Every structure is written in structure tokens, then in C-alpha cells.
Amino acid sequence: MLGAPGAGKGTQAGLIAEKYKISHISTGDILREAVKQGTELGRAAQSYMSKGELAPDEVVIGIVAERLQQPDCANGFLLDGFPRTAAQARALDEVLDEHRLSLDAVLSLEVDEAEVVRRLSGRRVCAKCGAIYSSSEAARGPQVCETCGGELITRSDDQPEAVRRRLQVYKAQTEPLVEYYARAGILKRVPATGTVEEVFARIAQTLDGVGSA
Ligand code: AP5
């Protein structure tokens, strides 16, 4: 799943994983969990993440290659936030070839920059389980997670300076992958404006039209 920061990848990935009963692999979530646990990986990733820079390719490629071998990926998986660079896309091709797997589709969630800045400026996430809340959802209820009761916080990389940098990095390093997967014939562009439910309906319609989804 490709899309600018704040395009709604995490929100939609949760719904897709539930509907199609596949594993949701978010490199951002894996790195944030490592930061929270204070592991070596987390300590290495933290400085990149808080500034809105990408973690080094070799680190992230290693994480995904290992994750794809876990038993829960046998029935399919959704990659959210990976690949993000040309090197990561090539490495993914190699890992998939090695395991005789292929991608059914690459979803590109398309939304303009003003909207993603608006979405990120109000986003709250649960400090405990990572559930994502929009500004309006967070404003409506008490400042705790509906699922686990955890505290709702602002991600450190949702500060305006880090958001600006993440958007620059996305344009320079990740957006070219849209063309890469268009050439491979598996790109599906999905307008990501409208409500969460409307976007999900477009995604489901797209995936239902893909043979093995
Ligand atoms: P990552 O966690 O992947 O962040 P990101 O790509 O910047 O995307 P976000 O999580 O910010 O946004 P999203 O598209 O998931 O939107 P969301 O659903 O939350 O990566 C974070 C960092 O980790 C990177 O900067 C990098 O440092 C590192 N990293 C991760 N992967 C890496 C890799 N492969 N290589 C190197 N480094 C890597 O929605 C946003 C908000 O909008 C929410 O509040 C939500 O409620 C709201 N919203 C969603 N949909 C709608 C809608 N339709 N209408 C209104 N509001 C909506």
C-alpha cells in the first residue's frame, strides 16, 4: 500500500486485513514498538523517525524479510509503509521471488497535500495499542482509547516540521514507486478523499476485482 503520510494507509490497512483475513505488516508500527520497548532497533530508528527521515534500507528490509516468513503470512499479507525506496522495492522483489510469491496488487491512496497536512495535524494515536483516531473522533470522546483504554497521544513525527520533512521524503523517495508498480501492471489508484467508509468501499471494490484477493 502506497500513499503519502496521512493518506489513511494505517486506517484502511486495519479494515482490509480484517475483511480479507490477511496479516497487516506496518513497518512504521514495528519500528514504533521497538522504540517503545527501547530495543537496539528502536534506539537506532528513533532519531530518524522523529525527524521525519527514513530508517536505513538494510534495517527495514531485514525486518520485512523476516516478518514475511512468519506462519501468519501464509494466507496473505498487506504491506503498509513498505517499500518506500527503490532499493526496498528491489529487495522485496527478490524476497518474493525467493519464496515463489507475488503481489496481487499495489494500492496507491491518492489525496492532496493540504488534506494530509490537515489530517496529520489532528491525528491522535493510542499509546498502548496504536489505534488511530482522527481529530474529530479525538475531540468527541474522552482522551482514552475506545479499544484498550490507553492514553491518546500525538505522534512525535506529527509535529509540523517533521510532517513537512516526511512529505518531502515521500515525494523524493517513495512517489517514484507508483510508476515502478504501474510498469509492473499491478498498480491500483484509489482516490482517498471522502469518509473512511467511502474510501474502504473503493478499495474493496478494487480488490474484489483482483483475481486472488
Ligand atoms: P509510517 O508509520 O509508515 O508513517 P507514514 O507513512 O508517514 O504514514 P502515517 O502513519 O503518518 O499515515 P497513514 O497514511 O497511515 O494515515 P492514517 O491512517 O494514520 O512511518 C513512520 C516513520 O517510520 C517513517 O517516517 C520512517 O521514519 C519510518 N519508516 C516506516 N517504514 C519505513 C520504511 N519502509 N523505510 C524506512 N523508514 C520507515 O490517517 C491519518 C489521519 O487521518 C488519522 O487521524 C485518521 O484518523 C485520519 N483519516 C484517515 N482516513 C481519513 C478519511 N478518509 N477522512 C478523514 N480523516 C481520515
Side-chain angles (χ1 to χ4, degrees), residues 3-12 26-29 31-32 48-49 52-55 60 80-84 88 115 118-120 123-124 132-135 137 155 157-158 166 192 194-196 199:
K9 300 183 297 298
T11 302
Q12 296 297 333
S26 158
T27 44
D29 284 350
L31 293 171
R32 275 186 291 280
Y48 296 100
M49 295 175 80
E53 303 291 344
L54 296 181
V60 188
D80 160 12
F82 182 93
R84 256 173 147 102
Q88 291 181 18
E115 175 65 8
R118 194 187 67 74
R119 288 182 186 179
L120 291 178
R123 171 169 59 185
R124 298 288 178 275
I132 304 165
Y133 293 84
S134 66
S135 51
E137 288 166 334
R155 261 169 53 175
D157 60 350
D158 279 348
R166 285 160 64 203
T195 64
V196 168
V199 177

Side-chain angles (χ1 to χ4, degrees), residues 87-135:
Q88 291 181 18
R90 286 193 300 270
L92 177 61
D93 288 344
E94 283 169 22
V95 172
L96 294 174
D97 278 353
E98 194 184 318
H99 296 284
R100 295 202 172 81
L101 294 169
S102 59
L103 298 177
D104 294 315
V106 173
L107 298 170
S108 172
L109 296 193
E110 312 211 323
V111 55
D112 67 37
E113 192 166 316
E115 175 65 8
V116 297
V117 169
R118 194 187 67 74
R119 288 182 186 179
L120 291 178
S121 67
R123 171 169 59 185
R124 298 288 178 275
V125 294
C126 173
K128 213 160 139 193
C129 74
I132 304 165
Y133 293 84
S134 66
S135 51

Side-chain angles (χ1 to χ4, degrees), residues 72-90:
D72 66 301
C73 292
N75 290 329
F77 51 84
L78 171 65
L79 292 170
D80 160 12
F82 182 93
R84 256 173 147 102
T85 64
Q88 291 181 18
R90 286 193 300 270

Side-chain angles (χ1 to χ4, degrees), residues 36-87:
K36 199 160 96 182
Q37 300 296 333
T39 63
E40 198 180 323
L41 168 66
R43 285 193 297 277
Q46 188 165 27
S47 61
Y48 296 100
M49 295 175 80
S50 59
K51 284 188 279 204
E53 303 291 344
L54 296 181
D57 281 335
E58 60 278 14
V59 171
V60 188
I61 290 167
I63 292 173
V64 173
E66 205 246 67
R67 183 66 187 84
L68 289 177
Q69 289 176 54
Q70 303 295 312
D72 66 301
C73 292
N75 290 329
F77 51 84
L78 171 65
L79 292 170
D80 160 12
F82 182 93
R84 256 173 147 102
T85 64

Side-chain angles (χ1 to χ4, degrees), residues 108-111 188-194 198-200 202-203 206:
S108 172
L109 296 193
E110 312 211 323
V111 55
K188 309 286 174 193
R189 294 178 188 272
V190 180
T193 45
E198 285 164 348
V199 177
F200 183 59
R202 283 178 212 133
I203 291 176
T206 303

Side-chain angles (χ1 to χ4, degrees), residues 12-25 78 200:
Q12 296 297 333
L15 299 171
I16 295 168
E18 197 181 323
K19 177 173 165 74
Y20 295 98
K21 308 213 176 335
I22 56 177
S23 295
H24 171 199
I25 302 173
L78 171 65
F200 183 59

